[in-house]
Amino acid sequence: MKTLKLSLFAAAALFLSVSASAQDKKATELKKDTKSASIPAATAPAAVTPATSQKPTGLTFKEESFNFGDIEKGKPVTHEFSFKNTSKETILITAVKASCGCTTPNWTKEPIKPGESGTVTATYNAANPGPFTKTVTVTTNDTDQNKILVIKGKVNGDTAPAPAPTPAVKQ
């Protein structure tokens, strides 16, 4: 019986020492991985970017900004930005996003061959009085660099003066 207890004790001690040794080895490996992963950005190799992300789109817009001037509240206004494909490849507009829900974009959906023209239309819902500046972002398949179009102006509010408050009458 005494021999059995001693054998169990020895087996438990052996198991604990092997387990502790394995944990120490894992901790050492983890420290090495952490050290190699924390290379300063200045010494890390630069990320390679595709050539398409560096060049501007092949669509040449006649204008990139339009000022509506003074407009009436409650009456939407629209401007059409026209462009021409000045590249040697066919270009597709993949997305057009307005900076807010008050502006609705529309655009040429078909592929634009070299030398062909198209449009991006921005309609602004003049619901709130005051000055506004909104953007429309155009994304194409020929580059990762987006084209930003701008519309701006001033919405004239109600010109009727507010009624004067009536004085309270004591009774």
Side-chain angles (χ1 to χ4, degrees), residues 117-130:
S117 297
T119 60
V120 173
T121 304
T123 300
Y124 176 71
N125 183 7
N128 296 317

Side-chain angles (χ1 to χ4, degrees), residues 44-113:
V48 178
T49 56
T52 58
S53 67
Q54 299 300 315
K55 69 175 184 168
T57 182
L59 300 181
T60 303
F61 284 81
K62 285 186 180 178
E63 59 188 343
E64 295 177 17
S65 180
F66 182 78
N67 189 340
F68 287 107
D70 289 350
I71 60 176
E72 253 184 87
K73 179 181 172 185
K75 293 194 176 182
V77 291
T78 300
H79 181 70
E80 187 174 272
F81 292 93
S82 59
F83 61 82
K84 184 174 184 177
N85 181 351
T86 55
S87 74
K88 293 180 181 177
E89 52 190 74
T90 299
I91 298 175
L92 177 66
I93 296 177
T94 56
V96 178
K97 283 188 159 189
S99 59
C100 72
C102 58
T103 305
T104 306
N106 198 359
W107 63 95
T108 301
K109 308 281 193 296
E110 303 81 31
I112 304 107
K113 294 179 181 170

